[in-house]
Amino acid sequence: MRQLRARHRRLVAALPDLWDYLAGSLIEQSRRCGKPGCRCAGGELHGPYVYLSVGKTTGRGPLVYVPEALAPLVGERVALTASVRALLADISSINLELLARRKLE
């Protein structure tokens, strides 16, 4: 029990500041503009452009364009979100174990 509670405290302490939390996935896409005579009409697409996919966890959600200059920062924030989700899953699993042992506080 002591080890379980100590691990619980360590995980909660490891949670970062959530100010920069940004849920989604970064994707790159190349596009055709549709203008006649453009190079993309011949097969060379524009891009790649970076988008943040947000919304539904299953299927395709809305895309938000990410300017090239902001792509590294957005990537860091999306990675932060993934680490927070992993920590929360571990904390939840410990809380479930404590509940099963009737030691949830």
Side-chain angles (χ1 to χ4, degrees), residues 12-70:
V12 170
L15 282 169
D17 180 6
L18 299 179
W19 183 264
D20 294 331
Y21 188 90
L22 182 60
S25 300
L26 282 182
I27 60 170
E28 286 187 1
Q29 289 185 348
S30 297
R31 304 266 180 169
R32 234 178 219 98
C33 70
K35 294 178 185 174
C38 181
R39 65 182 169 93
C40 68
E44 186 182 341
L45 301 177
H46 298 285
Y49 300 110
V50 177
Y51 294 89
L52 180 68
S53 176
V54 295
K56 299 179 181 180
T57 55
T58 58
R60 187 173 168 161
L63 298 178
V64 177
Y65 173 71
V66 178
E68 187 176 344
L70 291 177

